[in-house]
Amino acid sequence: MSALDSLPHGPEFRFVDELVELDPGKSARGSYTVRGDEAFLAGHFPGRPLMPGVILVEAIAQLGGVAAQSDPEIGPVEGLLLTGIRGAKILGAAEPGETLEIRAEVEGRLGGMIQISGEVESAGRKLASAKVMLSGAA
C-alpha cells in the first residue's frame, strides 16, 4: 500500500500524482501534473484554463495529510479533514501541462489536530503558500 493510499479522496479530487519524498510523520514532497481535462478547468477560465488557487491550497493539505498519516509513532487519525487555512497566499497560476511541485511539513500536533505548512511551485515559480489545519478523531 502506497502512502498516497491514505488520502480519502477519489481520483477525480486528488491533487498529488506522485510522492517524491517522504519523511514519515514530518514532511513530504510530491507532484501533480495539470492535465487539462480536469472538469473545473472548463469554467476556470473558458479559453484560458488556470488551476484555481484554492486547489493549490488543497494540494498542500492533501500532501500534509499523507505526511501526518504516515507517522510511525502515532497511528492514523480517523476522518482527517481540512478544517482551517491561515496565511494563504496565491502568487501565481498553473496552466495545463505544468507540473506542480508541492511541499508540506507537519509543524505541530495536538490530539486529532495537525498543523501543516506548505507551498506549491512550478518551474521555479512560487504559486502558493499556506498553513492549514487538519482535524479528525484521535
Side-chain angles (χ1 to χ4, degrees):
M1 181 165 142
S2 159
L4 286 177
D5 292 334
S6 69
L7 286 172
H9 310 82
E12 49 287 307
F13 201 77
R14 188 172 286 185
F15 302 108
V16 181
D17 290 332
E18 180 184 6
L19 191 58
V20 176
E21 184 179 300
L22 178 64
D23 186 356
K26 297 180 182 169
S27 64
R29 287 188 322 112
S31 67
Y32 177 80
T33 299
V34 183
R35 299 179 315 273
D37 65 350
E38 294 91 343
F40 54 82
L41 288 179
H44 197 268
F45 294 95
R48 185 165 185 251
L50 297 174
M51 185 78 156
V54 295
I55 293 184
L56 299 175
V57 174
E58 173 68 21
I60 293 168
Q62 289 183 11
L63 186 61
V66 170
Q69 296 290 62
S70 68
D71 194 315
E73 297 176 19
I74 303 171
V77 175
E78 280 294 316
L80 194 63
L81 299 171
L82 173 60
T83 56
I85 300 171
R86 288 193 355 239
K89 293 182 179 161
I90 310 303
L91 305 165
E95 298 177 357
E98 288 190 60
T99 297
L100 307 178
E101 301 161 28
I102 311 152
R103 287 189 289 286
E105 181 178 340
V106 176
E107 290 192 328
R109 296 181 78 125
L110 181 60
M113 296 184 302
I114 304 165
Q115 182 167 300
I116 306 291
S117 67
E119 60 184 29
V120 180
E121 293 183 350
S122 177
R125 296 176 302 130
K126 190 176 199 178
L127 301 180
S129 64
K131 290 185 185 280
V132 298
M133 181 66 70
L134 307 176
S135 301

